[in-house]
Amino acid sequence: PDSPRPYCMEAILAGINQAKKNIWIVTPYFIPTDQIITALQIAATNGIEVKMILPGKSDSHVVKHASLSYIKPLLRSGIRIFLYQKGFMHAKTMSFDEQVAIVGTANMDTRSFYINFEIAAVIYDKRVCKELDDSFIEDLERSREITLKEWAKRSLYNRLLDSVCRLLTPLL
């Protein structure tokens, strides 16, 4: 909050916008800005493999449903989303093209970008990126993919709950 600009968000956007092959994201809280959503959708529609792991179990019912309200447009863009099934996933990592990674305290949410004191390291080390990618692949094996077809079958109750929780995102 004492920075003149949201540097963590800008670093994430730079990584997304410069990726050529793949973008792999792990985040426990996904309440993205419009800029992040648009950048991810553009990447996916341009043929870049975008995969995200979100927690299947959350420590906040409201945040979980608010996060889920963003899923459908991402799935429609070709982004693959997985829910981690082995407890609460609290990692905050991003990997771009096996070349660059971002690791830190920042969640992918407005609060982390503008309100909280957060820090993230941008890593340009192929060995570290490989280790993070290997960990991501292991976590995928412990995750369940959400498909657009499955998502369309969600109950009216869950869709309404997601929408109501999304209204609260400025406070989350």
Side-chain angles (χ1 to χ4, degrees):
D2 62 346
S3 298
R5 298 191 341 242
Y7 293 118
C8 286
M9 181 180 74
E10 290 176 2
I12 292 167
L13 285 169
I16 293 168
N17 291 331
Q18 293 175 16
K20 302 279 187 258
K21 294 188 317 186
N22 59 46
I23 300 167
W24 292 354
I25 299 170
V26 178
T27 185
Y29 306 109
F30 184 69
I31 301 174
T33 62
D34 290 340
Q35 297 98 317
I36 296 283
I37 291 170
T38 301
L40 289 170
Q41 289 175 317
I42 289 170
T45 55
N46 283 329
I48 297 168
E49 175 193 67
V50 181
K51 291 182 181 178
M52 296 178 59
I53 300 176
L54 305 176
K57 299 173 186 169
S58 180
D59 61 348
S60 170
H61 193 65
V62 174
V63 172
K64 176 184 177 182
H65 283 281
S67 294
L68 294 176
S69 73
Y70 294 93
I71 300 296
K72 188 175 181 180
L74 298 178
L75 291 172
R76 281 186 172 161
S77 298
I79 295 169
R80 295 180 65 193
I81 300 174
F82 301 81
L83 297 179
Y84 187 74
Q85 301 296 300
K86 299 290 183 187
F88 180 57
M89 169 67 78
H90 201 255
K92 299 156 186 131
T93 65
M94 288 163 228
S95 175
F96 309 95
D97 294 340
E98 304 156 5
Q99 304 280 323
V100 180
I102 299 175
V103 178
T105 64
N107 296 298
M108 195 161 306
D109 63 10
T110 302
R111 185 175 221 51
S112 285
F113 298 150
Y114 293 100
I115 298 170
N116 295 345
F117 285 99
E118 304 283 7
I119 190 165
V122 179
I123 302 164
Y124 297 90
D125 183 291
K126 288 183 181 183
R127 184 184 56 77
V128 172
C129 290
K130 173 141 180 37
E131 289 176 19
L132 284 170
D133 288 349
D134 290 346
S135 180
F136 185 90
I137 291 166
E138 286 177 25
D139 290 337
L140 278 179
E141 293 171 9
R142 298 177 184 104
S143 302
R144 180 179 65 79
E145 186 170 6
I146 301 170
T147 65
L148 187 55
K149 186 176 182 179
E150 169 192 352
W151 200 250
K153 294 179 183 176
R154 294 179 72 234
S155 71
L156 177 61
Y157 172 79
N158 279 324
R159 289 180 299 181
L160 285 172
L161 184 58
D162 294 349
S163 296
V164 169
C165 291
R166 186 168 179 160
L167 293 173
L168 301 174
T169 58
L171 306 173
L172 302 176

